[in-house]
Amino acid sequence: MKGLFWFVALFALAVAVALGAKLNDGYVLLVLPPWRAEVSLNLMILALLALFAAFYALLRGLALTLGLPQRVSEYRARRQREKAGLVFQDAVRLLFEGRFGQALKKASEAHAAGTAPGLSALIAARAAQRMRESEKQQGWMERATLDDPRTEAATLMLEAEMMNEARRFDEALLALERLQAKQGRHIAALRLELRARQGAGDWDGVLKLARQLDKRAALPAEVVREVRTQAHLGNIAKRAADQGLLTAYLRALPAEERSQRVVLAAARALVALGAESEAQKLIEAVLDTASNDEWQPELVAIYGRLTGGEQTARIAKAEGWLRKHPEDARLLKALGRMCLRQRLWGKAQSYLEASLAVHDTPEGHLELARLFDQLERPEEANKHYRASAKLEAR
């Protein structure tokens, strides 16, 4: 439609010009003594138009001729930029392909050509790091910031990531601190900091970051749980030599973060410090509210080894658990041990034999052997000693 419109418009213009020329009877008189010439006005107009077109063509030709060197120079520069852009793209592609030597070479060429010098330097730094060429890596990192100040944040992020991979966690944290001072912390930076603090053993910092990332839904829930569990285990290990610090830490531990592994490690640490009453409170608080899926036989085993305090109350507590878990071999064995300490020989024998009936273990046979030794029944004691040794030898 557009082409048809222009065709009609030009046709109408041609008709109008033809009609105008036909109706125009004017003339132009040119006098240059001793000559004079009389020319049709229409011819004069055509001649002037032709003269203008010729003059314009002459000027245009001169301009194109004189501007040829500049256009050639611009064309070459444009071609160089295009080639440099392709080299830069090759550097990025080779880096992701894992061909780090070629990526370093291409990134160096792109940097020399002035194509995104800051980013080219960062790509070269990453390739050098992958090739374990630390001097080149450091040199390219410095060039990235000098060539393009806008890449400073990216440089610091890359530095922190590379320091984490090299297990130089303190240096990674320093880079992240500089980043925070300039641009604050975003989710990617928080993840890097989490990895650095895990490596540095800063478990309090790990817990703080894990909670922040959990609020922002920046990590899967199962990952957050595992990170928090590892942090609590680390903190328990740090405080394992000081009963006061350990007890205070466990009392401040949120209920939703008391995973099975954390509680088990805490109970073992308390028992190792001789804080059996604290261990008893912790185990009872956990097992009293535990569902079938949350039941921890390992805690029951520890509970059965506690020697201080009121054994009778512990036996009553464990018998309450037994009504919910009658087939738990460790609970039966723990009850047998506690009854043995209280010299409840008949109950101890019943619980230990029931434990062996559920699960035959060397420890169960040893407890029965000790029981029969105290009852001066050597034949039965020797029978269980042999059974224990036989199971141990398997």
Side-chain angles (χ1 to χ4, degrees):
M1 289 299 295
K2 189 175 180 181
L4 180 61
F5 172 78
W6 280 109
F7 177 77
V8 172
L10 289 173
F11 183 77
L13 180 61
V15 171
V17 170
L19 289 174
K22 184 177 182 180
L23 297 174
N24 183 15
D25 293 332
Y27 63 92
V28 176
L29 181 62
L30 300 175
V31 179
L32 184 63
W35 299 281
R36 49 187 294 141
E38 185 178 312
V39 181
S40 168
L41 180 59
N42 293 332
L43 180 60
M44 188 64 182
I45 292 173
L46 290 175
L48 288 175
L49 289 174
L51 182 62
F52 175 78
F55 182 70
Y56 176 79
L58 177 62
L59 291 179
R60 183 67 176 166
L62 287 173
L64 291 174
T65 302
L66 295 175
L68 185 61
Q70 182 180 355
R71 290 200 307 279
V72 171
S73 177
E74 291 175 352
Y75 172 77
R76 289 177 176 173
R78 186 168 61 253
R79 289 290 298 166
Q80 287 178 351
R81 288 194 300 270
E82 291 173 355
K83 289 177 64 177
L86 292 174
V87 169
F88 178 79
Q89 293 176 28
D90 287 341
V92 176
R93 176 178 55 81
L94 291 167
L95 180 67
F96 283 110
E97 289 178 359
R99 297 156 70 181
F100 303 117
Q102 295 181 46
L104 177 59
K105 179 182 177 182
K106 293 292 184 180
S108 302
E109 293 177 7
H111 182 272
T115 303
L119 293 177
S120 297
L122 286 177
I123 292 171
R126 167 58 86 180
Q129 186 263 343
R130 293 295 192 188
M131 296 170 65
R132 300 184 182 278
E133 297 185 9
S134 56
E135 292 184 4
K136 289 183 179 180
Q137 167 196 332
Q138 191 61 36
W140 283 113
M141 295 285 285
E142 292 173 358
R143 285 190 218 176
T145 305
L146 292 174
D147 291 339
D148 189 352
R150 294 175 300 173
T151 63
E152 184 175 10
T155 302
L156 290 171
M157 284 287 291
L158 182 58
E159 181 180 354
E161 184 179 348
M162 292 191 297
M163 292 303 102
N164 275 343
E165 292 176 359
R167 305 188 66 79
R168 293 155 62 180
F169 302 112
D170 292 337
E171 295 179 49
L173 290 171
L174 289 175
L176 291 168
E177 286 177 8
R178 296 201 301 273
L179 176 65
Q180 181 182 2
K182 293 183 178 297
Q183 293 193 354
R185 291 188 297 181
H186 47 78
I187 289 177
L190 289 175
R191 287 173 177 164
L192 284 176
E193 185 178 352
L194 177 65
R195 176 70 186 93
R197 294 199 182 279
Q198 284 177 310
D202 180 9
W203 301 115
D204 290 326
V206 168
L207 281 172
K208 182 179 177 181
L209 287 169
R211 289 163 182 161
Q212 289 179 0
L213 290 168
D214 188 31
K215 287 180 181 179
R216 299 187 187 187
L219 289 175
E222 58 274 14
V223 174
V224 173
R225 285 195 296 270
E226 180 61 25
V227 169
R228 289 194 304 209
T229 295
Q230 291 293 338
H232 287 310
L233 292 176
N235 275 332
I236 289 170
K238 278 187 175 181
R239 294 162 173 79
D242 190 315
Q243 180 179 339
L245 289 176
L246 180 59
T247 302
Y249 181 79
L250 294 175
R251 288 175 179 172
L253 188 63
E256 65 274 10
E257 296 183 11
R258 294 188 176 191
S259 68
Q260 294 184 359
R261 290 157 60 196
V262 170
V263 173
L264 181 60
R268 287 171 174 167
L270 288 170
V271 171
L273 287 171
E276 291 195 348
S277 61
E278 290 293 332
Q280 176 181 343
K281 292 176 185 177
L282 175 64
I283 294 172
E284 289 177 352
V286 172
L287 295 184
D288 282 345
T289 59
S291 64
N292 287 334
D293 293 336
E294 297 170 341
W295 180 254
Q296 291 181 255
E298 297 87 353
L299 289 180
V300 173
I302 295 173
Y303 193 78
R305 294 190 182 96
L306 300 178
T307 57
E310 182 56 50
Q311 290 288 329
T312 304
R314 287 196 195 124
I315 292 172
K317 175 69 73 172
E319 287 176 338
W321 296 335
L322 186 63
R323 285 191 286 273
K324 295 181 180 179
H325 305 277
E327 299 297 321
D328 190 323
R330 294 190 185 184
L331 179 54
L332 290 165
K333 185 164 56 181
L335 276 165
R337 283 173 171 162
M338 290 187 284
C339 290
L340 187 59
R341 288 192 205 99
Q342 291 299 100
R343 297 179 178 274
L344 301 173
W345 311 121
K347 291 184 71 173
Q349 181 177 349
S350 298
Y351 282 133
L352 290 172
E353 288 176 347
S355 173
L356 288 175
V358 175
H359 183 51
D360 200 16
T361 62
E363 295 86 358
H365 284 290
L366 279 177
E367 293 294 339
L368 266 176
R370 295 188 186 106
L371 169 63
F372 288 130
D373 275 340
Q374 293 191 43
L375 294 177
E376 296 182 355
R377 294 159 63 179
E379 291 184 4
E380 294 176 81
N382 290 336
K383 172 186 173 183
H384 285 287
Y385 279 129
R386 288 193 297 270
S388 176
K390 186 177 180 180
L391 289 173
E392 287 283 1
R394 287 182 182 176

